[in-house]
């Protein structure tokens, strides 16, 4: 019988999580020069370590994987040392933290790329209508239209695989408990998997199931060699159109082929966007669409995948427990509620009020403001205030 409580423990691979509340990956743009994680970020993650699992903000595997300013990397020694501050802070509070690893593919801008080169695209098709976080023409931080990409060669895909291998080795060195591959939201992995967008004609082309999923599965196999399958999670966004991903008539077929292969490899979990995102970017999303993943789809996934399943997308405590009661999901990820509520688990458990953080502080460079200056709820202070 599946537990319906957010506060029940769960075995994830060989690791035990203290509850079913996951802190979702959220870009916060607080790194130091060189995309190096720092003490301020360690404080931020440490404050939130009562989550059953923290999934870090998206982390670049190489300089050419970058699509947003001030996002952390894990390809340089200084970055690894910075991440050690964070994993130690989380572990000191008894928490678990996975590193979310990504490559944005075409979702970048020439100003973010080494030597101003074009973004690395699966094809040369531009993400019309989607933006990335960079310096505008006036020098201010803002969202700018993604640049025209160039199609990377088959040989460069081999280079990418080695970039991921180095990243996984660095993840282990930094002390993370595992990784989550960001294969959702229109970034590189999903660009390969989309049969409409992927018009390549090599072994990674979109004509067959095997070719569309080849790159992701090769990366999973490398991660398994370095870390072990039980320390691997994958984030996916079936039926999504975020970052200008087009309709794909083969999307569900590709998804379940991938699930069969991932299940055979024994990875720890799948992390799904349960409520679908529109085609724009996160800064344009004030709420998720009302469209959820179809019930037949999630039931089939539950039957075909043996690992844990995470859902995310505008959940409340009440809707999260309703979701757990279906038996189709094991953990619920919360993003924005963790911004203003470092003690979110305790607030849920005790039915304490939640703080709604001001969105204007999500991506600031103002030190602790809007980042680590939120406090835990104190019932004695609240009682005195009344």
């Amino acid at each position: 019988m599946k537990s319906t409580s957010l506060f029940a423990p769960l075995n994830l691979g060989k690791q035990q999580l203290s509850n079913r509340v996951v802190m979702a990956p959220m870009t916060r743009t607080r790194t130091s020069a060189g995309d190096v994680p720092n003490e301020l970020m360690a404080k931020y993650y440490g404050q939130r370590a009562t989550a059953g699992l923290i999934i870090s903000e998206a982390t670049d595997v190489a300089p050419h994987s970058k699509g947003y300013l001030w996002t952390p990397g894990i390809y340089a020694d200084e970055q690894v040392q910075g991440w050690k501050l964070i994993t130690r802070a989380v572990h000191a509070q008894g928490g678990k933290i996975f590193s979310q690893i990504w490559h944005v593919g075409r979702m970048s801008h020439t100003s973010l790329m080494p030597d101003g080169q074009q973004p690395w695209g699966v094809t040369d098709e531009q993400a019309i209508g989607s933006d990335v976080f960079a310096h505008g023409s006036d020098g201010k931080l803002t969202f700018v239209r993604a640049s025209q990409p160039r199609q990377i060669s088959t040989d460069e895909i081999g280079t990418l695989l080695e970039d991921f291998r180095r990243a996984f080795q660095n993840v282990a060195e930094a002390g993370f408990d595992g990784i989550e591959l960001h294969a959702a939201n229109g970034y590189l992995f999903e660009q390969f998997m989309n049969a409409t967008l992927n018009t390549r004609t090599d072994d990674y082309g979109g004509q067959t199931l095997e070719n569309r999923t080849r790159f992701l599965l090769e990366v999973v196999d490398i991660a398994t060699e370095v870390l072990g399958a039980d320390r691997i999670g994958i984030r996916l966004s079936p039926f999504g159109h975020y970052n200008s991903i087009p309709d794909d008539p083969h999307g569900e077929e590709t998804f379940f082929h991938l699930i069969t292969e991932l299940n055979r490899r024994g990875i720890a979990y799948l992390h799904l966007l349960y409520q679908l995102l529109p085609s724009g970017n996160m800064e344009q999303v004030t709420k998720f669409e009302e469209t959820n993943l179809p019930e037949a789809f999630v039931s089939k996934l539950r039957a075909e995948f043996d690992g844990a399943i995470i859902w995310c997308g505008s959940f409340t405590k009440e809707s999260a427990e309703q979701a757990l009661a279906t038996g189709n999901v094991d953990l619920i990820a919360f993003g924005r509620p963790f911004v203003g509520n470092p003690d979110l688990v305790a607030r849920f458990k005790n039915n304490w009020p939640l703080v709604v953080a001001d969105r204007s502080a999500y991506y600031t460079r103002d030190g602790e403001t809007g980042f680590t200056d939120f406090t835990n709820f104190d019932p004695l202070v609240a009682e005195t205030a009344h």
Side-chain angles (χ1 to χ4, degrees), residues 4 17 32 52 59-60 65 107 121 142 157 166 188 226 229 250 269 278 307 335-336 340 366 384:
T4 61
L17 309 184
S32 298
T59 301
D60 294 311
S65 81
M107 287 307 304
T142 187
I157 293 174
R166 183 180 65 245
L188 183 68
V226 177
H250 302 289
Y269 72 79
R336 294 172 185 172
D366 298 329
T384 301

Side-chain angles (χ1 to χ4, degrees), residues 55-196:
I55 305 170
S56 82
E57 60 206 276
T59 301
D60 294 311
V61 298
H64 54 71
S65 81
K66 190 173 188 62
Y68 299 82
L69 273 173
W70 306 110
T71 51
I74 197 157
Y75 51 86
D77 290 342
E78 297 86 353
Q79 295 164 350
V80 175
Q81 296 308 311
W83 279 118
K84 286 181 179 180
L85 301 175
I86 293 166
T87 59
R88 288 168 183 162
V90 171
H91 293 154
Q93 302 298 322
K96 301 287 186 183
I97 181 168
F98 275 37
S99 172
Q100 190 189 65
I101 300 295
W102 74 346
H103 191 298
V104 301
R106 68 176 182 166
M107 287 307 304
S108 187
H109 188 267
T110 54
S111 66
L112 300 171
M113 296 290 289
D115 303 318
Q117 65 181 263
Q118 290 177 275
W120 287 35
V122 171
T123 70
D124 60 4
E125 183 174 337
Q126 188 175 7
I128 300 296
S130 294
D131 300 333
V132 298
F133 191 59
H135 286 115
S137 57
D138 58 0
K140 294 182 180 179
L141 293 173
T142 187
F143 287 90
V144 298
R145 189 54 36 89
S147 295
Q148 178 75 42
R150 65 174 181 83
Q151 179 174 315
I152 57 174
S153 68
T154 306
D155 288 344
E156 286 174 308
I157 293 174
T159 300
L160 270 173
L161 293 173
E162 290 309 306
D163 289 333
F164 277 96
R165 182 183 299 277
R166 183 180 65 245
F168 301 147
Q169 292 166 343
N170 288 343
V171 161
E173 171 67 19
F176 282 100
D177 298 295
I179 60 154
E180 177 178 285
L181 295 175
H182 195 346
N185 292 6
Y187 298 116
L188 183 68
F189 289 116
E190 189 168 36
Q191 292 164 30
F192 273 109
M193 290 189 292
N194 186 277
T196 302

